[in-house]
Amino acid sequence: MTDVRYFTGSGHSESIARACAEALHEAALPMGEPLRENAVLLLVFPVYCERVPPPVAAYLKTCGAERAAFVACYGGMSYGRALYDAKTLFGGTVVAAAVVPTEHAYTKDGYPFDEAALAPLFEKVRSGESSSVVIPKGKRHLLSGAPGLRSRLGAKLVRSSRCSGCGVCERACPMHAMHAGKPDGRCIRCLRCVRVCPEGALSFRLSPLLKAYLRRRRTDETRLFL
Ligand SMILES: Cc1cc2nc3c(=O)[nH]c(=O)nc-3n(C[C@H](O)[C@H](O)[C@H](O)COP(=O)(O)O)c2cc1C
Ligand code: SF4
Ligand code: SF4
């Protein structure tokens, strides 16, 4: 029995969670939905600044599952210590984990999801085998220690006059950082508000520094820990 849960900003982790759920004949639900007793939690989440996004970090500490598998989606730049941190924060048994390349939320280019590459992970989750995986610490970029700052310096949210003040973005924001189309200092630039705005009133602008960083060569490495 597997409970597939996801956290997403721009939607990639949600589509990958749906594909995982289909392969496992389960449903994909947002993180926070109740978990069944004895189910393995399969958590799909994005890599932000080479780390686990703050809402995922908080969830991992309190979700109450005993066994988990992780699928971390990254934009082809670097996944740093995201899986290592997820395992440490979770504290229970991690039976399988993977990093998969996706489109980058900021550039809209990247890699199509290769579901077949995750077949061995589905196999291990389905088997009920409970051996714990070893995840090496991995390298970290200098600025990944300050993900909030890095995101805020790198991307700016812009609200246009099309904003109707409907509050959809406020209700969708995982950080409670949005106020009628204007983010406060808690914003992690996940772009969920941009995706859900019914008026298309929100967009984002990248700083020259982040644009230059994103022009670096990408990697399409899928890595499994079984
Ligand atoms: C705030 C932020 C930080 C990101 N940091 C990284 C990163 O460090 N390395 C990387 O390869 N991709 C990075 N990405 C790209 C995402 O990991 C990738 O686009 C992922 O598919 C987004 O998932 P989502 O659509 O479910 O939010 C970042 C994206 C955002 C929005
Ligand atoms: S969802 Fe869009 S239209 Fe509604 S308040 Fe937010 S920015 Fe304005
Ligand atoms: S305000 Fe920031 S944290 Fe909230 S949904 Fe928008 S980009 Fe994400």
Side-chain angles (χ1 to χ4, degrees), residues 27-220:
L29 298 174
M31 202 176 69
E33 290 293 323
L35 301 174
R36 291 169 293 181
E37 211 176 318
N38 296 325
V40 176
L41 165 67
L42 172 57
L43 186 63
V44 185
F45 60 86
V47 173
Y48 285 173
C49 303
E50 303 180 330
R51 299 174 75 136
V52 175
V56 177
Y59 177 73
L60 284 167
K61 287 193 245 175
T62 56
C63 67
E66 286 174 8
R67 289 176 301 151
F70 301 136
V71 175
C73 312
Y74 76 112
M77 301 304 295
S78 160
Y79 48 81
R81 292 190 188 166
L83 280 181
Y84 176 85
D85 287 349
K87 184 171 186 251
T88 309
L89 289 159
F90 176 58
T93 305
V94 178
V95 298
V99 281
V100 293
T102 62
E103 196 175 73
H104 198 293
Y106 287 162
T107 55
K108 302 288 173 216
D109 57 2
Y111 304 97
F113 172 53
D114 177 12
E115 191 184 320
L118 287 185
L121 180 139
F122 299 145
E123 196 55 44
K124 174 123 191 240
V125 169
R126 256 194 239 109
S127 73
E129 206 208 301
S130 285
S131 60
S132 178
V133 294
V134 176
I135 301 174
K137 214 168 185 178
K139 289 190 216 110
R140 233 166 58 169
H141 188 275
L142 189 64
L143 276 178
S144 66
L149 180 68
R150 186 173 149 183
S151 303
R152 285 198 297 279
L153 289 178
K156 189 172 184 278
L157 285 180
V158 183
R159 182 186 59 166
S160 80
S161 57
R162 285 203 295 271
C163 173
S164 64
C166 68
V168 167
C169 55
E170 267 179 50
R171 291 190 288 279
C173 176
M175 299 301 289
H176 310 290
M178 184 50 104
H179 312 282
K182 283 198 171 171
D184 67 25
R186 289 171 294 182
C187 172
I188 53 171
R189 301 297 191 263
C190 71
L191 307 185
R192 190 186 289 179
C193 51
V194 175
R195 179 167 60 94
V196 301
C197 173
E199 307 297 336
L202 292 170
S203 58
F204 63 95
R205 235 180 261 145
L206 300 179
S207 71
L209 197 67
L210 185 55
K211 275 189 193 157
Y213 174 73
L214 290 170
R215 277 197 291 270
R216 285 191 332 171
R217 206 152 65 89
R218 302 283 175 87
T219 164
D220 63 350

